[in-house]
Amino acid sequence: MAQPTGSDIHVDEALSNIAIAYKNKDYIAEALFPLVPVEKQSDKYYIWTKAFWFRNQVEKRTPGDTYPEAGLELSTDEYFCDIFHLAFPIPFEDRRNQDPAVQLEETAAEFLADQFLLSREIGLAAAAFATSKWGTDRT
């Protein structure tokens, strides 16, 4: 006499409350070079000349002496914000057909955000560790 087996009475399906993803928590670009919000794609910014801040101009004074005067130098430089882009297309049919745990829209948004963080991290490493950025040409 035939009896139903385990695979006959249960068909495996994906859990609806869990999915495993990966995220790098060790990015350092933001800590080294914090983002500065700007309103325009290009503009100027001020720079106080560094040498003036490290020059000791304090003098010993006796009663009745005049005070020595110090000053600072101010200049400007400019910035330009490049535009970067990446898409994660989700067909309408996939949105309608996905299991609840998949969460395509949320996962795509997190993936895209992480891709931009990764790109920034790689760009920072390339710029910061270029031999021309430091006082020696040692690698």
Side-chain angles (χ1 to χ4, degrees):
M1 173 174 184
Q3 290 289 349
T5 65
S7 62
D8 293 329
I9 61 172
H10 173 73
V11 177
D12 289 346
E13 63 180 80
L15 293 175
S16 62
N17 61 348
I18 186 173
I20 298 173
Y22 304 91
K23 193 167 190 177
N24 188 340
K25 303 241 186 237
D26 296 327
Y27 292 136
I28 62 168
E30 180 71 20
L32 295 175
F33 298 100
L35 293 174
V36 176
V38 295
E39 294 187 20
K40 308 284 183 183
Q41 186 175 14
S42 64
D43 229 328
K44 293 186 179 282
Y45 59 92
Y46 292 106
I47 301 171
W48 291 101
T49 304
K50 182 179 178 180
F52 286 83
W53 292 91
F54 293 98
R55 185 180 304 147
N56 182 3
Q57 301 178 64
V58 176
E59 298 176 6
K60 186 176 182 179
R61 181 180 178 273
T62 59
D65 280 350
T66 59
Y67 288 91
E69 294 182 0
L72 293 172
E73 185 176 82
L74 182 64
S75 62
T76 61
D77 202 349
E78 55 191 38
Y79 70 85
F80 181 84
C81 298
D82 292 319
I83 298 174
F84 296 88
H85 55 111
L86 181 64
F88 189 109
I90 303 172
F92 173 76
E93 297 83 3
D94 290 350
R95 289 175 200 236
R96 301 275 296 155
N97 198 40
Q98 68 181 318
D99 288 334
V102 174
Q103 300 179 352
L104 279 173
E105 293 86 356
E106 293 86 350
T107 303
E110 289 176 6
F111 173 76
L112 289 172
D114 193 69
Q115 285 291 293
F116 282 95
L117 291 172
L118 178 61
S119 178
R120 183 170 184 228
E121 199 80 5
I122 291 168
L124 169 74
F129 295 110
T131 55
S132 62
K133 297 289 182 185
W134 303 98
T136 67
D137 286 336
R138 294 185 201 135
T139 55

